[in-house]
Amino acid sequence: MNKLQQRFLTVVFFLLGFSNIVTSQCAGNDVTIEICAKDTDPTNRDYDLFSQLGGSPTLGGTWSTTNPENFYALNQSTGIVDLWRINNYGTHSFVYTNTSCNETATVTINLGGYPGEDNIDGSANACGDDSSVNLHGFLGSNVDGKVQDFNGLWEEDPSTFTGFLEDNLFNAQAAGTGIYTFTYTVPDVNSCSSRTATVVLEVHPPPNPGVATNLTFCADDDFSLYTNLDLNEQLSGEDPNGTWSESTTNQLSDLNDSVINIQELYDNFGYNTFSFTYTVFPTHPVCERREVTVTIDILPILDGEITADNICVGQEYVADLIYDETLLHNGSFLISYSINGSAGVASTVLTDGIADFIIDPQLVPLNELVTLEITGITSVTPIRDVCSRIIVTPTTFLVASSKAEVTSICVETDATVQITEILDTNGNLANGTFPAQYILTKPDTSTDTSNSFELEFTNGNASFTIPGSNFSEDGEYQVVPSISNTFSTNCPLADIFTVTPLPDDIKLDLLVDNNCDAIQIDVLIDAPILPNGTYTITYDVTELGSNTVLTTNTINFTGGTAAYQIDVDALPMGNYTASVRSIQNDTTPCRIDFEFEENENFSRGGVPEAPQAAINQTFCLSDFIGGPTLMDIEVTAEGDILFYDTLTDENILPISTELVEGEDYFISNSDPLTNCEGTARIQVTVSFSNPDAPTTININPLFCSETSPALSDIELDNTAGSSITWYDSSSGGSILDTSTLLADGQSYFAATNTSGCNSSERLEITPTIITVAPTSLLTDILIVCGLDNPTVNELRSLENESENEVIWFTTETGGNPLMGNMPLLKDTIYYAQNVNPITRCSSATRVPVIIDLSECDPKNYDFFIPDGFSPNDDGKNDTFFIPNIEMIFPNFTLEIINRYGTTLFKGDIAKPAWNGGNGSSTAPNGVYFYIINYNKGNSEPIQGRLYLNR
């Protein structure tokens, strides 16, 4: 051991006291050792623990430590420990175990710290982008295996303090470039002193390639703007000493080149992704070179046209797509689309410019035009971005659910065709009337085409009926309707239905041997065989009047023919009804009637009494349209009335037979219950009445409308003792009251009425009603000066008539016409009425005119204001009055004021003169003042004075 080692290494042995003396100590005794400056002695790398045990240990045992940090420093078999590999100062225990005596002994080493060697010569370097610089890496010595302890304390020198040191890690990235000093201290360990090492660290700037801004284009973009794109412009914050590189496009000629041509990129390589790398090298090797890549991404784009056919519900909803294959690659895609704004996604395969995809039917409302728009596209295989911009014009299509339905029917039954959800030409549910037609195919394959007819639709639905006459044969039919002016779809508007034949009905019959005096009745039955039911047949005889059933019988059977006899010879005299009824309970298709009945009335010895009627009967021809018939002869009889030409004729005349004047008719009657006819006939002779129509010398009479002419004003000539009946038509029509007002040009028809019978011929009268329009005046006010004594003739200046005369009145109705020289009266309204000079008819209304007599110029009428008056009741100049003021200035006001400003009098046209009064007293002699407001045009108010002298 050299002197330096002796100076730093002191071994102190502590003798342990034992309380007991053992007879055998094969593991030795515990011992504690202190070692300072372990780093100065290389032999500490092979430190023998066994030799340090106290007592008399024997070989053969094993060594162990509970500190995992010491595990690899200890040879467990030999007890040799490498103290240089124990990189933590402090207390370390090693246990020797000898199994031969089952004893253990512990060697405890208090190990002084080793801080490593100073590093202040510039060899400690870090890169400025390192956020976790391990300062321990700068402390090791040059001797192999000599490593500083790791549990010491790192501190920043105050002169370069940053606050970015945490334990042994320094955040150079946060601290920035520069030189920083750090100390690493291991503290005292018992008598071993603390030790410190210093590290001077230089942080070098890292290379900065900057932040890249990538460019993304769509394949249809205009690249002419990017033929000289400087890649440097796509960087920000970069070091200027970098170089650009790429490997595929040959756009860069050398390391100094940074300009590329995107147009050439697209022309040479189409849509693709192009990468250009900017590399910056460090200024110190502690930093690595840095790169950033600018990506030029030219994306494929969907540019095409989409179509979708109008289809019928239930068919596949397919959209066809044609696109520019030079702008978009083949492969599997997801198409995003919308139907009227509702989103959907469909998968498709694009191949050489053609594709199609299936539309989700849930998104498509029926029976309305919808808009299909592609909103996005995603490339699935291969996976790559596609331009988000879609160049596909939306299209419209419609899914219709139009149909025709017919329910199966029975033969000779009307078939109702239900047409539903038909659309008009705009794609809306049809409303209104549309031309329609149908083709009906019959079981024998023959077809009938209907005439065109109008079909009324409501909200797309309509129905029409095919008459049952088209279904005389049973079998399968097809109807194919066609509706014009509707939206064209490929929905098959047709339906097939079945026509089922009607089953045969039972036939019942009653044969009476003599309806007027019967003895026997035969009941005959012919019934089809029922496969799933029975007939219940009842026949009986009932007395008419009392409805008493005298005999009855009921039988049940499933079909066939049968005959039964009813003996009625024993019935008393009277009228009876024989009846046979059938009820069946089968379920045969198209069975309509399930109950059948036949009745026959007969008598036992009954003949009706003869009818009664007036022998001679007269008929007014105007009471009948087309003339009277046998039906109009008045007859009283029991039962049905029968008419004959002669007393013995057996041919009954139709009741609609027209009567012939002077003809004789013979009448009998029959019992309606038994058809038994009486044996006697009566005779009736017929005559007609038809007065002559009225006459007139003027069928176009003239009337003035202001007189309100009525039918009673028309003068006609008619037979003495007769009257006139007026009608609104030449035949038939309605009777008009004589007070009915006449209308111009309307025809009225007059008939002569004699003893209540109107003539069948009518006289047509068409009156002319002259209506004179109210006069049209130039104005409805006449402005003149009343001082000129104007007359009615002044009103003529207002007239504006060329065809009619104008007559003037002072009343709105009635009154006498005014003469032209009559003076115009103040406060009077005049009325103008038109008169036709030819017909002398006048207008029904008169036009009012207001008279203004104030149009007087004061200068022309010596207008003056008196300057005094003498109210002494001598009849001369007793009032202060301004001559003609009420005519020239009808709206004037006059105020009289005394010298003290007190108003003594206020006047106007209703009170124009001052009598010198002052209320209930009289004003004294003196000077007074007047104020006159003319209240007309631009005439200014005037004031002056006057003298009152009594």
Side-chain angles (χ1 to χ4, degrees):
M1 183 179 298
N2 58 35
K3 292 181 178 180
L4 181 62
Q5 291 173 324
Q6 291 175 347
R7 187 166 49 247
F8 287 97
L9 180 60
T10 300
V11 179
V12 181
F13 293 95
F14 294 91
L15 297 178
L16 301 177
F18 297 90
S19 59
N20 297 305
I21 298 176
V22 295
T23 57
S24 175
Q25 293 180 331
C26 64
N29 297 325
D30 294 341
V31 64
T32 297
I33 306 168
E34 184 175 77
I35 301 176
C36 299
K38 64 175 181 178
D39 53 293
T40 59
D41 187 357
T43 63
N44 285 333
R45 301 200 64 180
D46 297 303
Y47 191 79
D48 187 1
L49 295 176
F50 185 82
S51 64
Q52 303 301 321
L53 290 171
S56 301
T58 60
L59 297 172
T62 59
W63 291 87
S64 64
T65 178
T66 59
N67 190 340
E69 296 174 349
N70 301 334
F71 183 78
Y72 290 105
L74 174 66
N75 187 321
Q76 298 179 31
S77 299
T78 64
I80 301 299
V81 62
D82 186 352
L83 295 182
W84 282 14
R85 293 192 66 179
I86 298 177
N87 301 121
N88 290 279
Y89 63 83
T91 301
H92 301 271
S93 297
F94 301 91
V95 178
Y96 178 67
T97 302
N98 195 328
T99 58
S100 62
C101 61
N102 291 325
E103 290 183 355
T104 61
T106 301
V107 176
T108 299
I109 301 177
N110 290 320
L111 189 62
Y114 172 52
E117 307 300 328
D118 290 337
N119 193 335
I120 57 176
D121 59 358
S123 62
N125 295 280
C127 190
D129 60 358
D130 192 344
S131 62
S132 183
V133 178
N134 188 351
L135 296 179
H136 281 302
F138 305 117
L139 289 177
S141 73
N142 293 327
V143 179
D144 183 35
K146 186 187 293 188
V147 180
Q148 74 274 11
D149 291 343
F150 295 133
N151 57 342
L153 174 66
W154 282 100
E155 294 178 292
E156 291 189 84
D157 189 272
S159 64
T160 59
F161 183 81
T162 65
F164 295 116
L165 175 64
E166 184 175 353
D167 295 330
N168 60 302
L169 300 178
F170 177 61
N171 189 341
Q173 185 179 33
T177 59
I179 298 175
Y180 303 92
T181 301
F182 304 91
T183 59
Y184 182 63
T185 302
V186 291
D188 297 341
V189 177
N190 291 339
S191 63
C192 297
S193 301
S194 64
R195 300 171 65 185
T196 299
T198 300
V199 173
V200 176
L201 175 69
E202 182 176 0
V203 177
H204 297 274
N208 182 10
V211 178
T213 299
N214 297 324
L215 289 177
T216 300
F217 299 93
C218 294
D220 68 328
D221 285 344
D222 182 7
F223 299 120
S224 63
L225 302 176
Y226 302 95
T227 55
N228 289 284
L229 177 68
D230 190 343
L231 292 172
N232 290 325
E233 295 178 357
Q234 301 306 116
L235 300 178
S236 60
E238 78 280 6
D239 290 344
N241 58 340
T243 59
W244 288 96
S245 62
E246 54 94 17
S247 60
T248 58
T249 67
N250 296 321
Q251 282 291 310
L252 299 176
S253 59
D254 54 39
L255 294 178
N256 295 317
D257 191 2
S258 63
V259 178
I260 63 172
N261 186 333
I262 295 181
Q263 181 68 63
E264 287 184 359
L265 285 178
Y266 180 70
D267 293 343
N268 294 332
F269 302 99
Y271 54 84
N272 212 324
T273 299
F274 307 94
S275 297
F276 298 88
T277 301
Y278 183 69
T279 303
V280 180
F281 292 89
T283 58
H284 190 279
V286 72
C287 295
E288 297 179 355
R289 70 177 183 180
R290 293 288 182 263
E291 297 178 346
V292 68
T293 298
V294 173
T295 299
I296 309 296
D297 205 355
I298 302 178
L299 301 179
I301 188 171
L302 176 58
D303 182 354
E305 178 181 344
I306 189 173
T307 58
D309 293 335
N310 299 324
I311 61 173
C312 194
V313 64
Q315 298 175 341
E316 194 171 47
Y317 296 15
V318 179
D320 294 315
L321 175 64
I322 300 174
Y323 65 94
D324 188 343
E325 60 183 304
T326 65
L327 300 180
L328 188 60
H329 54 280
N330 292 344
S332 298
F333 290 81
L334 290 179
I335 299 290
S336 298
Y337 63 91
S338 68
I339 300 291
N340 287 357
S342 297
V345 178
S347 60
T348 186
V349 176
L350 272 59
T351 305
D352 299 334
I354 299 175
D356 59 41
F357 59 91
I358 305 301
I359 301 169
D360 184 356
Q362 299 297 323
L363 300 178
V364 184
L366 299 179
N367 302 311
E368 65 176 78
L369 278 172
V370 297
T371 298
L372 169 63
E373 181 177 4
I374 294 181
T375 58
I377 183 170
T378 302
S379 179
V380 178
T381 305
I383 298 176
R384 69 155 301 155
D385 291 336
V386 179
C387 183
S388 61
R389 179 160 46 87
I390 304 297
I391 310 176
V392 177
T393 302
T395 189
T396 59
F397 71 99
L398 182 145
V399 179
S401 58
S402 306
K403 61 181 177 180
E405 292 182 310
V406 185
T407 302
S408 294
I409 58 172
C410 300
V411 294
E412 303 295 341
T413 303
D414 293 347
T416 299
V417 181
Q418 297 287 346
I419 309 293
T420 56
E421 298 180 336
I422 295 296
L423 307 177
D424 61 21
T425 54
N426 295 321
N428 301 316
L429 289 174
N431 284 286
T433 301
F434 292 79
Q437 195 176 35
Y438 64 85
I439 298 174
L440 181 66
T441 302
K442 298 181 178 182
D444 61 0
T445 70
S446 64
T447 60
D448 287 338
T449 301
S450 72
N451 294 326
S452 179
F453 58 94
E454 296 296 318
L455 190 56
E456 182 72 23
F457 280 86
T458 301
N459 294 329
N461 300 329
S463 64
F464 63 88
T465 300
I466 302 176
S469 57
N470 291 280
F471 307 112
S472 58
E473 299 178 11
D474 61 285
E476 192 173 78
Y477 289 74
Q478 182 186 49
V479 61
V480 181
S482 59
I483 316 298
S484 300
N485 303 330
T486 57
F487 194 91
S488 178
T489 70
N490 57 1
C491 289
L493 202 61
D495 196 22
I496 296 175
F497 58 100
T498 301
V499 175
T500 302
L502 296 177
D504 293 333
D505 293 333
I506 189 173
K507 295 179 181 179
L508 303 176
D509 199 5
L510 291 170
L511 299 179
V512 181
D513 59 352
N514 185 344
N515 286 80
C516 294
D517 193 9
I519 295 176
Q520 179 177 299
I521 301 173
D522 293 325
V523 179
L524 303 179
I525 301 171
D526 186 0
I529 300 298
L530 296 180
N532 55 1
T534 60
Y535 298 96
T536 298
I537 298 174
T538 301
Y539 58 89
D540 51 36
V541 174
T542 304
E543 183 181 26
L544 292 177
S546 67
N547 290 327
T548 301
V549 177
L550 303 178
T551 181
T552 184
N553 189 30
T554 299
I555 59 174
N556 294 302
F557 77 131
T558 59
T561 59
Y564 306 93
Q565 286 79 39
I566 304 174
D567 188 359
V568 296
D569 186 33
L571 294 178
M573 299 300 177
N575 293 329
Y576 302 90
T577 295
S579 175
V580 57
R581 298 176 299 279
S582 173
I583 299 176
Q584 59 196 73
N585 59 2
D586 64 309
T587 58
T588 305
C590 288
R591 172 73 69 192
I592 299 174
D593 297 322
F594 294 85
E595 298 184 11
F596 301 87
E597 182 175 359
E598 288 291 330
N599 296 289
E600 186 73 27
N601 293 333
F602 65 92
S603 289
R604 287 285 296 143
V607 177
E609 296 181 1
Q612 302 292 322
I615 296 176
N616 296 301
Q617 297 190 25
T618 302
F619 298 90
C620 180
L621 293 183
S622 63
D623 292 341
F624 304 95
I625 298 175
T629 65
L630 291 174
M631 185 184 300
D632 299 308
I633 296 178
E634 295 182 1
V635 180
T636 301
E638 295 180 358
D640 295 331
I641 299 174
L642 308 175
F643 294 89
Y644 297 92
D645 269 335
T646 66
L647 185 62
T648 59
D649 191 4
E650 294 184 358
N651 295 320
I652 300 174
L653 296 175
I655 196 69
S656 60
T657 301
E658 291 189 6
L659 301 181
V660 177
E661 187 173 16
E663 186 70 27
D664 297 328
Y665 297 93
F666 297 87
I667 307 169
S668 69
N669 59 329
S670 66
D671 188 334
L673 298 177
T674 62
N675 292 325
C676 292
E677 184 177 352
T679 57
R681 297 181 182 180
I682 63 171
Q683 178 180 335
V684 172
T685 302
V686 171
S687 62
F688 295 160
S689 174
N690 188 16
D692 293 333
T695 60
T696 183
I697 60 174
N698 185 9
I699 61 173
N700 300 112
L702 184 71
F703 298 96
C704 295
S705 66
E706 71 271 17
T707 62
S708 301
L711 287 173
S712 58
D713 297 318
I714 298 176
E715 296 180 359
L716 299 177
D717 295 326
N718 56 296
T719 306
S722 63
S723 60
I724 300 297
T725 301
W726 288 97
Y727 292 89
D728 60 3
S729 63
S730 59
S731 62
S734 301
I735 296 176
L736 302 176
D737 191 89
T738 56
S739 63
T740 300
L741 295 179
L742 301 179
D744 182 47
Q746 180 173 322
S747 292
Y748 303 89
F749 301 88
T752 301
N753 187 303
T754 301
S755 300
C757 179
N758 290 314
S759 60
S760 59
E761 294 185 8
R762 299 174 184 176
L763 176 64
E764 181 178 2
I765 302 295
T766 307
T768 298
I769 310 301
I770 303 299
T771 299
V772 180
T775 188
S776 174
L777 300 177
L778 296 176
T779 179
D780 59 357
I781 183 170
L782 177 65
I783 302 174
V784 295
C785 180
L787 298 177
D788 292 335
N789 299 317
T791 66
V792 171
N793 285 329
E794 301 294 337
L795 294 169
R796 300 294 180 192
S797 64
L798 305 181
E799 297 174 4
N800 187 28
E801 291 290 337
S802 59
E803 297 180 358
N804 298 315
E805 297 177 4
V806 179
I807 300 177
W808 292 91
F809 297 84
T810 57
T811 57
E812 189 172 4
T813 60
N816 296 317
L818 302 177
M819 301 301 293
N821 58 359
M822 296 179 68
L824 295 178
L825 302 178
K826 183 180 180 183
D827 298 329
T828 300
I829 296 177
Y830 289 82
Y831 296 89
Q833 184 177 39
N834 264 354
V835 176
N836 186 293
I838 299 174
T839 64
R840 303 312 297 172
C841 293
S842 59
S843 58
T845 59
R846 297 172 180 173
V847 179
V849 172
I850 299 173
I851 305 299
D852 182 356
L853 300 177
S854 66
E855 188 64 21
C856 303
D857 188 347
K859 299 176 183 179
N860 298 333
Y861 299 96
D862 298 328
F863 179 75
F864 73 98
I865 302 172
D867 57 2
F869 72 111
S870 55
N872 52 13
D873 295 330
D874 63 354
K876 298 179 180 178
N877 204 22
D878 286 333
T879 61
F880 177 69
F881 174 75
I882 303 171
N884 296 326
I885 190 170
E886 72 280 5
M887 187 66 71
I888 300 174
F889 302 104
N891 296 319
F892 80 95
T893 60
L894 170 65
E895 185 176 5
I896 304 298
I897 304 171
N898 63 18
R899 60 182 178 173
Y900 303 109
T902 302
T903 298
L904 305 181
F905 174 77
K906 288 186 176 181
D908 54 20
I909 194 169
K911 188 169 63 172
W914 180 42
N915 62 3
N918 181 13
S920 60
S921 61
T922 59
N925 291 345
V927 175
Y928 295 85
F929 301 92
Y930 61 81
I931 298 174
I932 301 173
N933 284 295
Y934 293 120
N935 295 325
K936 181 179 179 182
N938 296 324
S939 298
E940 297 289 337
I942 190 172
Q943 58 185 6
R945 65 182 182 175
L946 61 92
Y947 185 75
L948 188 154
N949 184 21
R950 296 186 184 279

